[in-house]
Every structure is written in structure tokens, then in C-alpha cells.
């Protein structure tokens, strides 16, 4: 793969790794070629031991598995299981947050507090819990028990669904895809896709959408909203990103994964005088915490802790030779970290009861001992500082300043004018044609494409065409490293209309909205825009689109599906693993629009992908009979 599109520091590290004969994810990807063609097309099934079965894509060999399942059934079942995997990951994270909130509510000397009572009340009200004249702890206790019950409830529907636009809710009812409960949808998906159950591909995908909705409007939203209650609703703040945020003179603690529960406490305690002094006594200049992946995004948003790198940079961060300890929690943690940390002094530590790596030191984290564990880990890092070898240090100095921490709430405050917090100015900007529309560009990076080419080229192309971009996950980190999360980038990359908005409000043209579970914030923003009025009655009426140009994880499939099911045009780079079924392909990229108002699109060229998104946005503007753009620019109708 071509690395010339990635940030400079990463290019240096990849070159260094090659010179030092260190294996990276890209090397392993190369060694894996050619990858299984059946798997890529989605044409293999191992759901029972009459198989494994595979369908011949050329039509000469078998066209069904041993049980008689055809290509449509097999691809749909597999894809829907991916949704269940992704939904389970986000939602189990959400469940963890509920348990943490319980500790805070019970306050048995726990390190956690309810930091945002306003948010607590807002969420409690959605759950029908009385908030007037009640103590925060009592409200939180009730909320905890309601949310806990909801994960496995047998009747009713997920509460956060009530926050969707009215028309959308009715549509979900009509389609029979209103999610009932998180665990139930995941279980039913596993049931229906096991051997000999659901064989009708559209019927299977419907359950997939219901499961995805249980993620976006359920598990992920629970994670986001309750983390806001516990750790505070983020507010825009300054920080920086890339390897250069690590400090050669300090003890570097890297936190990696997806959950902020432990890292948030580490971030706080590391700043204490006591810990800084211990680090100085150990011969360094202090303690420095930096993040990778979504754990990074979480503590960046709330504490301004800088970002060391995104998913594909995790091994490279160890290779800098200055990472004294890397703690990993859950999701997107490569087992390959073990081999690379063995070549360096870096102490690798797993912390979740759900995730171990063979041969890696495990310090199991339990919320009730958060402070103790955080101290133990920081001290481990300090202790390991003396093992650092000068000859192993290769630390690129690159880092980019950034602004992060936008939320559905801060969009109110920022774009909201002086007198009243409202979405009006944002809606008006779209209605009047200063903004063409909005796009969410999110998701992973993948060694199967040129690193960061998709993310950066797509975002720049959208900006150029006056599309406001919101980002999360690893895309947010890529945008940060490429300097797009700075207000100045508006003047470099944005069209005139978008520039005017950014200048007036003082925001970057690309808004960092957080981690992957925070894609639920985007659902909220879209619902708020609809509620503000003037842009239709439903999410699918909005001049908006979503994309994950370099997607990798099952979680990305779940996210994509909850956006499609919520009415969003959703663009990815490499296709979903369904290309072996023409029927399923046609359904997902075309016919499904008749049902949900959203659909999938696959386009590997990021510029062309951006153009397709813009054409979709223009189509929606036309349907809404909006004014022409204030700064009309020539735009290719068909590339
Ligand atoms: Ni989920 S966006 S690699 S860390 S899921 Fe992980 Fe956040 Fe993709 Fe990045
Ligand atoms: Fe083969 Fe059917 Fe079993 Fe899948 S479920 S492995 S297609 S026999």
C-alpha cells in the first residue's frame, strides 16, 4: 500500500520499522495476500458442520451450501452477524457505563461522581423518571435500574428511540424494526442466522437493521449519554495529535482501546503533584498521558489529553521507544502489540475482564478500585522509565494543534447566536445556501487501502464544496493529524459559504464529535435539525450524508446500518462482503431507499465518493426547494 498520503510522522515510523526489521500490520497484510476470494464476496458459510460451504461465484460449481442456502441467504446471514458483533461491542461498553454510574450513585468511596446533573436530569426525563426536587443520587439510582432492565427487557421498546423524529418512529413501526431491547435483538439475530432458520435475505436484513438501531439509538447512546453524566458533557477545547505529543523527557503512559472508565481516572491522577514528583524522582521530568483510538477520543474531549495516534498507529507508537507503559482495554487492540512490545522496553498491560492477550501482563480493572488500579498503572510506568534504552528511541516530533469536544449540546451553544441556544442559525445557513449541507465522516483505517487517503481527500473535497463535516473515531484522529481540526483550515480548504460560517462562529470546518459510540451524537444532531424545522420532517429529508471511507470493524457495519435505517445515505470505500449476491447488493444500494429513505453506496475513489455524497445532498436540497447556493460553484453532475 502507498503510505504517501499518511501524515509525515507515520511515514517516518513505517520507514524506520522496515529498516529495523520490525513487523507491522501492513507487513502482515502483505503476507496474507492473496486473501480468500470467497470470503471477500461473502460466499462462504461455517454456521454448521455440514459445511464449511462456499458458493462458486462463476456459476460452474455449487450454487447452494449443503443445506440448500444460496448466495443471497449466506451473504445476508453473515452480514447480519457482523451487525450483531458490532452492536454487541458498543452496547456492552454501554452496559459497563451503567455499572459505573451505579457506583457513583451509591457513592461507596468510589472515584466516580455525577459530574453533569443537567445531563442526568435530561436523560432521566427521557426514561420517565421524576427529577423535580430530587437528589442527583436518587435520580441516578432510578436511571441505573431502568437502563439495566432495558438491556434485557422482553416487552416495550428502547427509550432513546423516543428522541427520534415522529415520522421516523412511525416508519420504524411500519417496517417492524423498532428495537425492543439491546440484548434481545442481538440474541434474535444470532438465532435467525444460525443453521436452518431465516433464509429470506430481506427478512434477515430487517432484523439486522433492528439490531443496528438497538446499537445506535440504544447501546451506543446509553454509552455516550451516561458517560456525559459521569464525566461531563464535553466542551470545545484545545489539544494536539500525533507521535510528537509523547515527551522524550517524561514517563509516557499510553491508553488504548475504547472505554474511558479507567483512563479518565488515570488522566486525573497522573496530574497530581504526588505522581509528578514520583516521576521526577525516577529521573524523568514528569508524567505524560496520551491516547490511541477511541479511549483517546474520550479523554481528549473531556480533559484535553493529547492523541498519540489512531488504530493503525498502535504498533508504531510502541516502536518510538518512549512508551513506558501501554494499557489496553477493549476493541481494536491488535494482539500483534505483544510481539512489538517484546522488542522494546514498553510494558503492555491488559485491563479488561473481557480481554486478555497471551503472555501479556493483566491488571484487571474493577470500577470500585479505580483509583488504586490507576495508581498502580501509573507507578508501573514510572518504574519502567529506567528501562528505556536511548538507542531504541526514535520519536518523530510532528504534532498538530486541534480543537475537539463538539456535541449535540455545543452545536446549540456555538451556532446558537447570542440570546438563545438553538439550531436556528445552523438550519438557516443550510436553508439560505451558505452551507450546502452536512456530512459525518467517521470510522477506522484499514491496511487494505492507502492509509488516510480516503479520510483526508474525502473530507477536503466536502469542505471545498461547502459541506460542514462532523467526525468521530479514527477519522477524527486522521483529520487532527492533517491539521483539519483548526479554525484556520477553513481558509485553506473550505468553500466561501462554509468559510463565512466558520469565521462568524470561530469553529473549525471539521467538528470533532468524539468516539465511535458518539456517532449517537450525530443521530441527535440530525434529530435536532429536523426538530428545529424548515428542512423537512424526517432525517431522510436532510441535505446530509455519512461515510466511512476506510472502514474495518464489525462495529462500522453496525453503525452504517443504523444510519441507513435512520434515513442516511451512507458511503463506504471497499464494499461490504456481499458482492457475491447481486440481489443483496441491489437491495442495499438501491431498493432499501424505498423503505428507509437511506441506502448504502460503495466507492473506493474518495473524491468520486465525496461527489456522490454531494450529489445526494443537492438532490435533497432540490426536493426541499431550497434556495440556490450563495456561492454557486461549478460541480460535475456526473464524473
Ligand atoms: Ni471504534 S474508528 S478503529 S477506534 S472501530 Fe476501532 Fe473507535 Fe474503527 Fe478506530
Ligand atoms: Fe453449509 Fe448451510 Fe451449514 Fe452454512 S448452514 S455451513 S451453508 S450447510
Amino acid at each position: 500500500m502507498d503510505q504517501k498520503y499518511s501524515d509525515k510522522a507515520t511515514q517516518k515510523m513505517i520507514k524506520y520499522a522496515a529498516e529495523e526489521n520490525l513487523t507491522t500490520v501492513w507487513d502482515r497484510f502483505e503476507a496474507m495476500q492473496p486473501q480468500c476470494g470467497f470470503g471477500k464476496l461473502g460466499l462462504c458459510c461455517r454456521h454448521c458442520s455440514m459445511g464449511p460451504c462456499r458458493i462458486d461465484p462463476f456459476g460452474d460449481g455449487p450454487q447452494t451450501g449443503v443445506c440448500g442456502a444460496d448466495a443471497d441467504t449466506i451473504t445476508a446471514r453473515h452480514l447480519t452477524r457482523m451487525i450483531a458483533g458490532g452492536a454487541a461491542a458498543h452496547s456492552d461498553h454501554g452496559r459497563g457505563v451503567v455499572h459505573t454510574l451505579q457506583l457513583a450513585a451509591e457513592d461507596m468511596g468510589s472515584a466516580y461522581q455525577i459530574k453533569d446533573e443537567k445531563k442526568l436530569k435530561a436523560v432521566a426525563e427521557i426514561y420517565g423518571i421524576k427529577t423535580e426536587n430530587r437528589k442527583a443520587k436518587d435520580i441516578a439510582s432510578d436511571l441505573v435500574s431502568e437502563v439495566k432492565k432495558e438491556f434485557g427487557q422482553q416487552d416495550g421498546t428502547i427509550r432513546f428511540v423516543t428522541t427520534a423524529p415522529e415520522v421516523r418512529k412511525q416508519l420504524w413501526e411500519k417496517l417492524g424494526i423498532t428495537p425492543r431491547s439491546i440484548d434481545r435483538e442481538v440474541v434474535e439475530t444470532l438465532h435467525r442466522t444460525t443453521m436452518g432458520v431465516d433464509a429470506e435475505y430481506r427478512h434477515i436484513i430487517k432484523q439486522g437493521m433492528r439490531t443496528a438501531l438497538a446499537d445506535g439509538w440504544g447501546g451506543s447512546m446509553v454509552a455516550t449519554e451516561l458517560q456525559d453524566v459521569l464525566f461531563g458533557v464535553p466542551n470545545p477545547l484545545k489539544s494536539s495529535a500525533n507521535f510528537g505529543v509523547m515527551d522524550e523527557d517524561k514517563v509516557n503512559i499510553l491508553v488504548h482501546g475504547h472505554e474511558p472508565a479507567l483512563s479518565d481516572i488515570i488522566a486525573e491522577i497522573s496530574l497530581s503533584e504526588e505522581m509528578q514528583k514520583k516521576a521526577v524522582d525516577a529521573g524523568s521530568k514528569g508524567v505524560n498521558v496520551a491516547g490511541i483510538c477511541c479511549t483517546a477520543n474520550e479523554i481528549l474531549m473531556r480533559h484535553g489529553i493529547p492523541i498519540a495516534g489512531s488504530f493503525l498507529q498502535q504498533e508504531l507508537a510502541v516502536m518510538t521507544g518512549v512508551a513506558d507503559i501501554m494499557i489496553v482495554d477493549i476493541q481494536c487492540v491488535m494482539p500483534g502489540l505483544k510481539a512489538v512490545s517484546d522488542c522494546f522496553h514498553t510494558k503492555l498491560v491488559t485491563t479488561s475482564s473481557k480481554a486478555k492477550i497471551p503472555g501479556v501482563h493483566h491488571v484487571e480493572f474493577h470500577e470500585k478500585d479505580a483509583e488504586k488500579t490507576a495508581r498502580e498503572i501509573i507507578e508501573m510506568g514510572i518504574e519502567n522509565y529506567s528501562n528505556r534504552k536511548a538507542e531504541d528511541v526514535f520519536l518523530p516530533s510532528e504534532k498538530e494543534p486541534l480543537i475537539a469536544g463538539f456535541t449535540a449540546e455545543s452545536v446549540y451553544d456555538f451556532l446558537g447566536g447570542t440570546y438563545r441556544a438553538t439550531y436556528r442559525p445552523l438550519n438557516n445557513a443550510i436553508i439560505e445556501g451558505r452551507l450546502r449541507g452536512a456530512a459525518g465522516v467517521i470510522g477506522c483505517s484499514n491496511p487494505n487501502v492507502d492509509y488516510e487517503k480516503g479520510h483526508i481527500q474525502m473530507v477536503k473535497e466536502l469542505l471545498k464544496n461547502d459541506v460542514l463535516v462532523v467526525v468521530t473515531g479514527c477519522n477524527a484522529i486522521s483529520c487532527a493529524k492533517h491539521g483539519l481540526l483548526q479554525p484556520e483550515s477553513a481558509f485553506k480548504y473550505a468553500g466561501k459559504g462554509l468559510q463565512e460560517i466558520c469565521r462568524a462562529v470561530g469553529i473549525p470546518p471539521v467538528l470533532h464529535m468524539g468516539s465511535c459510540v458518539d456517532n449517537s451524537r450525530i443521530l441527535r444532531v440530525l434529530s435536532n435539525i429536523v426538530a428545529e424545522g424548515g428542512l423537512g420532517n424526517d432525517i431522510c429529508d436532510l441535505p446530509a450524508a455519512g461515510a466511512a471511507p476506510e472502514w474495518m470493524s464489525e462495529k462500522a457495519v453496525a453503525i452504517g446500518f443504523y444510519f441507513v435505517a435512520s434515513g442516511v445515505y451512507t458511503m463506504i470505500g471497499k464494499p461490504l462482503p456481499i458482492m457475491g449476491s447481486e440481489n443483496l447488493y441491489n437491495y442495499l444500494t438501491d431498493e432499501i431507499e424505498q423503505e428507509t429513505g437511506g441506502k448504502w453506496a460503495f466507492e473506493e475513489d474518495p473524491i468520486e465518493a465525496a461527489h456522490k455524497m454531494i450529489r445526494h445532498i443537492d438532490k435533497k436540497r432540490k426536493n426541499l426547494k431550497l434556495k440556490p447556493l450563495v456561492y454557486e460553484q461549478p460541480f460535475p453532475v456526473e464524473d
Side-chain angles (χ1 to χ4, degrees):
M1 286 301 140
D2 206 330
Q3 307 302 348
K4 68 171 184 249
Y5 303 96
S6 79
D7 67 90
K8 289 275 161 341
T10 299
Q11 291 181 31
K12 286 183 194 169
M13 285 308 300
I14 291 173
K15 190 158 162 265
Y16 172 73
E19 285 161 8
E20 301 287 314
N21 274 321
L22 296 162
T23 306
T24 65
V25 62
W26 290 279
D27 301 316
R28 291 190 298 270
F29 180 78
E30 198 99 323
M32 196 55 66
Q33 301 312 312
Q35 283 170 298
C36 173
F38 295 98
K40 265 193 195 169
L41 297 172
L43 288 176
C44 57
C45 181
R46 306 190 278 111
H47 291 189
C48 86
S49 87
M50 294 193 286
C53 301
R54 52 191 205 184
I55 307 294
D56 184 347
F58 305 109
D60 308 330
Q63 292 303 299
T64 68
V66 176
C67 67
D70 63 10
D72 303 339
T73 306
I74 288 175
T75 48
R77 285 200 306 211
H78 177 247
L79 186 68
T80 303
R81 283 203 165 198
M82 291 182 87
I83 300 174
H90 290 140
S91 302
D92 214 33
H93 168 177
R95 190 194 318 266
V97 183
V98 183
H99 285 270
T100 312
L101 182 59
Q102 182 170 5
L103 269 189
E106 288 168 356
D107 185 41
M108 311 213 293
S110 117
Y112 301 99
Q113 285 134 31
I114 296 161
K115 286 217 180 116
D116 204 316
E117 292 195 15
K118 195 171 153 208
K119 185 80 180 227
L120 171 69
K121 286 185 179 159
V123 178
E125 267 152 29
I126 293 170
Y127 276 82
I129 294 162
K130 277 226 196 82
T131 57
E132 228 171 287
N133 301 321
R134 293 188 72 199
K135 282 206 216 98
K137 290 201 165 137
D138 297 334
I139 301 172
S141 287
D142 286 357
L143 180 61
V144 164
S145 79
E146 283 305 310
V147 182
K148 266 188 176 177
K149 259 192 279 172
E150 191 188 65
F151 268 84
Q153 79 191 6
Q154 300 304 311
D155 304 304
T157 53
I158 287 175
R159 276 298 179 130
F160 278 132
V161 165
T162 57
T163 62
E166 212 44 54
V167 186
R168 184 60 25 189
K169 284 185 279 187
Q170 286 164 16
L171 182 66
W172 288 335
E173 275 303 310
K174 200 183 98 201
L175 292 171
I177 59 172
T178 310
R180 297 159 297 182
S181 76
I182 293 153
D183 294 353
R184 181 169 179 190
E185 300 310 350
V186 173
V187 167
E188 187 167 322
T189 289
L190 293 179
H191 175 196
R192 278 166 64 165
T193 54
T194 196
M195 194 271 147
V197 189
D198 203 353
E200 210 285 298
Y201 69 95
R202 289 165 185 263
H203 195 234
I204 296 169
I205 295 296
K206 270 209 178 135
Q207 173 57 19
M209 286 200 278
R210 183 154 59 175
T211 308
L213 289 172
D215 175 357
W217 297 86
S220 281
M221 211 173 263
V222 165
T224 294
E225 300 289 293
L226 297 195
Q227 280 173 186
D228 280 358
V229 172
L230 274 168
F231 305 118
V233 176
N235 270 305
L237 48 68
K238 287 185 184 163
S239 188
S240 51
N242 216 339
F243 295 127
V245 307
M246 289 188 271
D247 191 331
E248 215 173 316
D249 298 326
K250 288 188 179 171
V251 174
N252 290 302
I253 298 179
L254 293 182
V255 295
H256 171 24
H258 279 75
E259 284 181 330
L262 174 58
S263 308
D264 202 89
I265 307 291
I266 288 180
E268 265 176 31
I269 294 182
S270 68
L271 294 173
S272 70
E273 231 168 85
E274 182 202 349
M275 285 301 164
Q276 294 294 339
K277 186 174 174 301
K278 277 192 181 171
V280 171
D281 291 346
S284 78
K285 289 193 176 157
V287 184
N288 180 44
V289 178
I292 294 181
C293 275
C294 280
T295 296
N297 285 323
E298 297 277 8
I299 56 174
L300 163 72
M301 299 257 287
R302 298 192 178 89
H303 298 281
I305 298 288
I307 291 190
S310 74
F311 173 64
L312 286 186
Q313 288 173 290
Q314 56 187 282
E315 298 169 296
L316 305 179
V318 172
M319 291 176 194
T320 60
V322 300
D324 299 299
I325 186 166
M326 179 191 265
I327 63 153
V328 299
D329 50 69
I330 46 161
Q331 300 169 23
C332 304
V333 175
M334 292 192 205
L337 280 175
K338 160 81 168 106
V340 60
S341 60
D342 281 351
C343 299
F344 290 85
H345 85 296
T346 304
K347 180 122 192 134
L348 182 63
V349 179
T350 51
T351 59
S352 167
S353 62
K354 293 166 194 162
K356 288 191 178 185
I357 301 172
V360 169
H361 189 72
H362 186 71
V363 177
E364 198 155 297
F365 165 63
H366 297 282
E367 278 88 346
K368 63 177 179 15
D369 308 318
E371 210 175 311
K372 191 171 138 262
T373 311
R375 282 170 177 280
E376 192 183 328
I377 283 164
I378 299 168
E379 281 167 10
M380 234 185 247
I382 294 174
E383 206 170 297
N384 198 30
Y385 175 77
S386 61
N387 295 325
R388 211 190 270 181
K389 295 188 202 77
E391 68 271 23
D392 279 353
V393 173
F394 181 83
L395 180 64
S397 60
E398 281 84 356
K399 58 176 169 184
E400 278 293 326
L402 64 89
I403 295 184
F406 294 90
T407 60
E409 289 87 346
S410 59
V411 172
Y412 268 110
D413 297 340
F414 255 73
L415 295 170
T418 352
Y419 303 110
R420 191 169 67 92
T422 160
Y423 272 66
R424 198 69 252 158
L426 175 62
N427 284 35
N428 283 350
I430 298 173
I431 292 167
E432 287 156 11
R434 235 163 270 280
L435 275 186
R436 188 178 215 132
V441 188
I442 67 152
C444 328
S445 281
N446 190 325
N448 71 0
V449 291
D450 299 332
Y451 182 38
E452 297 187 318
K453 181 184 176 194
H455 286 310
I456 301 306
Q457 291 194 349
M458 172 182 285
V459 169
K460 285 184 180 169
E461 190 64 17
L462 292 166
L463 297 181
K464 194 173 112 189
N465 287 285
D466 289 322
V467 177
L468 178 72
V469 178
V470 300
V471 296
T472 62
C474 287
N475 172 283
I477 301 176
S478 286
C479 285
K481 290 187 292 163
H482 289 261
L484 294 171
L485 304 187
Q486 307 162 9
E488 301 75 47
S489 69
F491 309 110
K492 266 196 222 160
Y493 304 112
K496 264 198 197 157
L498 178 55
Q499 266 186 33
E500 282 184 10
I501 305 281
C502 292
R503 184 181 295 123
V505 205
I507 51 168
V510 183
L511 304 180
H512 185 311
M513 281 223 165
S515 65
C516 296
V517 293
D518 290 339
N519 287 313
S520 63
R521 295 190 197 278
I522 299 179
L523 295 175
R524 275 296 177 75
V525 169
L526 294 171
S527 305
N528 290 346
I529 295 175
V530 172
E532 187 66 46
L535 289 169
N537 305 319
D538 194 358
I539 294 171
C540 63
D541 298 332
L542 300 175
E550 303 180 25
W551 76 281
M552 159 290 294
S553 165
E554 285 180 327
K555 293 178 286 173
V557 181
I559 294 165
F561 263 103
Y562 71 63
F563 275 108
V564 169
S566 299
V568 178
Y569 178 85
T570 302
M571 169 63 75
I572 57 175
K574 292 256 189 222
L576 293 170
I578 55 146
M579 298 305 275
S581 163
E582 212 184 318
N583 284 333
L584 187 55
Y585 172 78
N586 289 336
Y587 178 48
L588 294 180
T589 59
D590 180 18
E591 295 147 20
I592 202 168
E593 197 176 16
Q594 311 287 316
E595 296 174 359
T596 71
K599 66 177 174 182
W600 285 92
F602 312 149
E603 174 56 59
E604 292 188 34
D605 175 357
I607 304 277
E608 172 56 16
H611 288 177
K612 285 185 170 152
M613 293 161 76
I614 296 164
R615 279 197 282 274
H616 174 83
I617 286 170
D618 285 351
K619 190 175 91 190
K620 295 294 170 181
R621 291 190 66 87
K622 205 170 148 207
N623 291 349
L624 288 166
K625 303 195 170 54
L626 299 181
K627 290 182 199 152
L629 298 180
V630 172
Y631 301 102
E632 194 61 66
Q633 33 187 322
F635 182 72
V637 180
E638 213 52 75
D639 281 32

